[in-house]
Amino acid sequence: MPGPRQARMTLPLPSAGVIDRPRLVPLLDRRPVAVLAGMAGFGKSTLLTATVGRQQLRGAGLWLTIDDSDRDPVRLVSDLLSAATLAGIDELTAAITPLRTSSLRAEPLTLVDALLEALYDTAEPLTLALDDAQHLIGSKASAAVVDHLLRWAPANMRVVIGARVVPPLRLQRLRLDDRLSYLAHDELAFSCDETALAVKTAGLDLDTEIVESIHEATGGWPAGVRMAILAARQIDRPRNVPSELRRDQALADYLATEVLASLPDELKDFVLDSCLDEQVCPSLIDSIRGTTTAEMLLEQCLAEGIFLSRGTASTDEPWFSWHPLFATHVQRRLATDRPDRAAELHAAAAAWWVSVDAPTAIRHAVAAGDGETAAQIFSEHWLSLFLEGRVDAVMHAIDHLPHALADHRDAHLAKALVLVRGGRLDAARGEVAAARRAASSPGPADDGFDERTAIVELFLTGYDQGLGAAVETGQALLEQMARADRVPDPAIRASVQVFVGMGEARLASHLELPLEMLRASAATAHDTGLVALELTALAESCIPAISEGRLTEVHDLAVDVLARAAERGWVGLVTLAPAVAYLGWLDYWRGNLTQARAQLERSLSMVLPFDAELRGLALNFHAKTCLSLGDVKAARASISQIGAMSRSASVPPWWPSMLAGLEGLALVAEGRTREAVALASSAAPEPEYRLASAHRARVLLRAGDPAAALAELDRMPISSQFVQVTCLSHCIEAEARSALGRPDAHASLELALAAAEPDQLYGPFLAGGKRMAGLLKAHLRHGTSHPAALTQVLARLAREHEHSVPGWGERLTDRERVILQYLATNLTNAEIAEAEFISLHTTKTHIAHIYQKLGVGSRRAAIRRAADLDLY
């Protein structure tokens, strides 16, 4: 049996359960030098052993496990000579034996040169493995020995080095000469397939979903995968392995002994203090530690591979991500070993996070044992979180309030608003009553409670009786705020203004009033930093702004609103539905039918349940878009929904006229022209939808009665208030006059082009097909003041059925595909985060990306869209 020193120079026996990793073989064997750098448990020694074993089939292998004694360069050279004599090559042994006798007296680099001479004389392929090279850190002389060896190694020799932290070797020259392969954590971590193979090799038969959850929880960290396999053997429900790993004592001991214990005291203290959050930045850590060195130490952790990676957040300062398993166990160790320090850090973290992310601040305040601060943060921020669409964050914050605060008045109000949003109105009223009881009990006064309660009740009114009914209540509330002695909460005032503006816009009686109200709300929200509320008000203003006729301006506003929301991960914020609906509406008028359909369907997935008016608008144009695309079945489905809403809800009085126009267009598309003409010729419902006359005229024109079509248009003279209606009416008028052989068709076309050109409203022309193409060609010869617009329309008509479609070209990542599968379940975002062993913030970010890539705004819409794309 070899002694301890000789054992360091002997190739270790392969460990049980080692899996093949053929993807790494080319990386390890392609170049003369390979360096494997990674923290404990990344399988460096195993890979080195496999590499040397593979090379021994063609030649000889030399192995040296470096320890602290090798910081002495003389000792290092002596160990290298000893390793060479154990290689089993007679001529090499003979040449080295005399060198060993003088190794403790000769100059180290001279001995290395002599060793190299002996290696040059050996024709047999050789592989030298240096494991645990981190022990050379701090010894420039020993590092110089390895550098010399790497620089002058013979062509028949390969060198592979493993280290937790690579000593300061001169590797750049090797890299420039393409003689170096450098494998760090990303390459050393298991792939998902390798994790599955490790599970299978261990004799476990686990579902693919469980294996993937293990891989995600461990990040492919080989030691973590092995710990997960052990845990899976010991528990009855392997599905719980990711959660068990957070509590696994063996893993905690491994991290303590193999990672934390190996760090210098200063760096170990830094790591313990810095893992309170998985996502960290220098200003956060400096704030809680009272230092200015966080960025430097984070970079040091990154360089030394201490389970830290660089984040992707685009902010003014860098963000970093701790490995979730590592962070969890470090947090537990800090809480156990230094409870007072942990409480102090959590309190400081709560103060830092309160202006960044309120739910995280609440979590830290609770961890610090400061329930009063947690309640105060919740009271100040829950309404803003709700308005941002972060309903899960509101509920998560409620769940993390101390048990003594479960009956807090704002917890009841927040629950009530969440229940209202879900349509559970009776339960919401119960929570409002509970909030009032809690507010009447002894305790500190809260001047803003009545206002927050009024907002909840305003939402209740809107959900229960419709937006129009909430207008009067909202206006009274604004008047009450104006008379109050104190300045109202800006979030409350801006929220009421938005609600009143929404209601007035849906009533559509005086469009100037809602625009004024919504713009005032946006200004208030902007001035007070309420970004979500500002975007909501601006999105709402898109619909009534149609009356102003600056359609491209409103388009740019809608795009900007949605882009700003996307930057913050608010892709599915339901209050932005009007901006999405507007873009779909404008795409319809521009003739971009496929985009229009996608945007309108996305808006329908986002519309608030009580907002019948906006849903009706989106369904109306969705039906017309589908008819234009030839999808009569989808159009009929939207028409049916409008009809059902008309029978069960209080809707605008002009809906019957709108529904009749849609029915006529659908009948024409189905070839039931006689029924369509009968409907168009019947008495028109009153009051009339502004497009009703144009719809009837189009039906009559398609039925071959251009005179009746003109008579219908004459019955309601063309108004210039709505430019899209003007354009459509003049297009139909031009077709009808041309069919009658009237020369004034050119005048109608000129008026239509004049209306269309500023905002590229080419949809009415495209609907005319070949007949319109002929008219426009004749009009071009006749002469026009709008040649550019006319040319664009002709070019679009020439590409009939070729719509400019942004296809689904951006693929989901592997993680997003996993999260997508969860969306079809009844798990909450918090439960998905726990199941996938990731933070709630990360889960929400993945879901936001999924929504953005699929072009949807809700979980249900994502499921439907994913099914259409065969992603399920």
Side-chain angles (χ1 to χ4, degrees), residues 660-846:
L662 286 174
E663 178 65 23
L665 295 175
L667 289 171
V668 169
E670 292 168 337
R672 298 159 64 185
T673 308
R674 183 175 299 177
E675 295 173 62
V677 170
L679 181 61
S681 304
S682 60
E686 292 290 342
E688 284 219 315
Y689 172 48
R690 64 174 64 100
L691 282 171
S693 182
H695 286 169
R696 287 193 295 272
R698 174 178 280 176
V699 168
L700 294 167
L701 181 62
R702 292 294 176 264
D705 193 348
L710 285 175
E712 179 60 42
L713 291 174
D714 290 340
R715 192 179 67 82
M716 293 190 66
I718 298 172
S719 169
S720 60
Q721 181 180 9
F722 295 98
V723 64
Q724 71 280 5
V725 181
T726 301
C727 180
L728 174 61
S729 299
H730 283 307
C731 280
I732 296 171
E733 183 181 66
E735 286 191 59
R737 287 177 173 178
S738 175
L740 292 171
R742 290 172 52 172
D744 53 357
H746 291 293
S748 297
L749 276 179
E750 194 69 1
L751 291 171
L753 287 167
E757 186 168 33
D759 298 297
Q760 301 175 7
L761 305 181
Y762 302 141
F765 298 92
L766 301 179
K770 292 181 179 180
R771 183 183 299 124
M772 179 58 73
L775 282 176
L776 290 171
K777 289 175 183 177
H779 189 61
L780 187 59
R781 294 190 296 271
H782 180 272
T784 177
S785 299
H786 308 281
L790 196 155
T791 302
Q792 288 188 47
V793 174
L794 283 174
R796 292 281 300 274
L797 283 166
R799 301 193 306 270
E800 190 174 4
H801 305 306
E802 291 182 16
H803 306 291
S804 177
V805 185
W808 190 74
E810 190 173 6
R811 295 184 177 277
L812 296 176
T813 64
D814 290 341
R815 164 52 69 79
E816 289 164 357
R817 283 178 175 271
V818 173
I819 299 296
L820 179 61
Q821 307 307 311
Y822 279 106
L823 297 184
T825 71
N826 59 358
L827 293 181
T828 66
N829 289 352
E831 290 169 335
I832 293 173
E834 183 176 358
E836 283 301 300
F837 209 57
I838 55 179
S839 69
L840 180 60
H841 174 76
T842 300
T843 302
K844 287 168 51 188
T845 300
H846 285 310

Side-chain angles (χ1 to χ4, degrees), residues 178-451:
D178 197 29
R179 298 180 61 231
L180 173 69
S181 293
Y182 194 99
L183 280 66
H185 293 95
D186 289 346
E187 293 87 1
L188 298 176
F190 280 168
S191 66
C192 194
D193 289 341
E194 288 167 345
T195 298
L197 181 58
V199 170
K200 183 177 180 181
T201 303
L204 293 177
D205 183 18
L206 301 181
D207 293 343
T208 301
E209 184 179 343
I210 299 175
V211 172
E212 290 177 351
S213 71
I214 289 174
H215 179 75
E216 190 62 41
T218 60
W221 177 38
V225 173
R226 287 194 290 274
M227 294 288 184
I229 290 171
L230 292 174
R233 285 174 171 164
Q234 297 171 7
I235 62 178
D236 295 332
R237 299 182 63 192
R239 189 174 299 276
N240 294 336
V241 167
S243 299
E244 290 296 327
L245 283 175
R246 291 180 178 268
R247 298 186 289 268
D248 189 86
Q249 188 57 47
L251 180 56
D253 294 341
Y254 180 86
L255 291 170
T257 57
E258 295 295 325
V259 180
L260 291 177
S262 67
L263 300 177
D265 288 343
E266 179 187 7
L267 197 57
K268 180 167 66 176
D269 289 343
F270 175 79
V271 171
L272 286 170
D273 288 352
S274 303
C275 284
L276 292 186
D277 295 286
E278 290 177 17
Q279 311 291 326
V280 296
C281 65
S283 62
L284 164 63
I285 297 174
D286 279 333
S287 176
I288 66 176
R289 301 186 83 225
T291 62
T292 59
T293 58
E295 185 168 1
M296 177 190 71
L297 291 172
L298 284 167
E299 292 290 350
Q300 183 177 346
C301 290
L302 193 67
E304 298 192 6
I306 309 178
F307 293 96
L308 186 70
S309 59
R310 201 176 297 279
T312 58
S314 56
T315 60
D316 294 336
E317 64 176 331
W319 280 79
F320 301 82
S321 300
W322 291 107
H323 191 292
L325 272 180
F326 181 73
T328 297
H329 284 287
V330 171
Q331 290 170 21
R332 289 179 58 199
R333 184 176 182 85
L334 178 68
T336 301
D337 296 352
R338 309 177 187 177
D340 292 341
R341 176 64 172 169
E344 176 187 341
L345 291 170
H346 278 297
W352 188 90
W353 277 106
V354 71
S355 61
V356 179
D357 186 71
T360 304
I362 292 170
R363 174 174 63 82
H364 282 297
V366 172
D370 189 351
E372 183 177 340
T373 296
Q376 180 181 351
I377 296 171
F378 181 77
S379 295
E380 292 175 353
H381 292 274
W382 71 264
L383 181 57
S384 295
L385 288 170
F386 180 87
L387 294 172
E388 290 173 5
R390 299 178 61 186
V391 177
D392 56 342
V394 173
M395 297 308 297
H396 185 265
I398 291 173
D399 292 340
H400 283 77
L401 287 173
H403 182 71
L405 296 173
D407 195 42
H408 191 273
R409 54 189 173 237
D410 276 286
H412 287 297
L413 280 184
K415 288 178 184 177
L417 204 48
V418 173
L419 289 168
V420 168
R421 188 175 183 272
R424 299 172 59 188
L425 303 186
D426 290 339
R429 293 187 181 96
E431 291 291 347
V432 172
R436 290 191 181 282
R437 288 194 298 271
S440 64
S441 60
D446 182 355
D447 292 336
F449 172 74
D450 288 339
E451 292 175 353

Side-chain angles (χ1 to χ4, degrees), residues 605-651:
S605 71
M606 299 168 66
V607 176
L608 293 165
F610 62 83
D611 196 350
E613 291 84 355
L614 182 60
R615 183 173 297 278
L617 170 71
L619 286 170
N620 173 24
F621 280 91
H622 181 262
K624 287 190 279 199
T625 300
C626 290
L627 288 173
S628 298
L629 287 168
D631 190 348
V632 180
K633 181 178 179 181
R636 277 293 183 191
S638 291
I639 294 171
S640 295
Q641 286 189 56
I642 297 173
M645 291 168 62
S646 298
R647 293 188 293 273
S648 62
S650 175
V651 297

Side-chain angles (χ1 to χ4, degrees), residues 556-585:
D556 295 342
L557 171 66
V559 169
D560 181 64
V561 164
L562 296 174
R564 289 172 62 189
E567 287 174 1
R568 293 165 172 79
W570 300 340
V571 178
L573 186 58
V574 295
T575 54
L576 303 185
V580 181
Y582 176 82
L583 293 177
W585 175 90

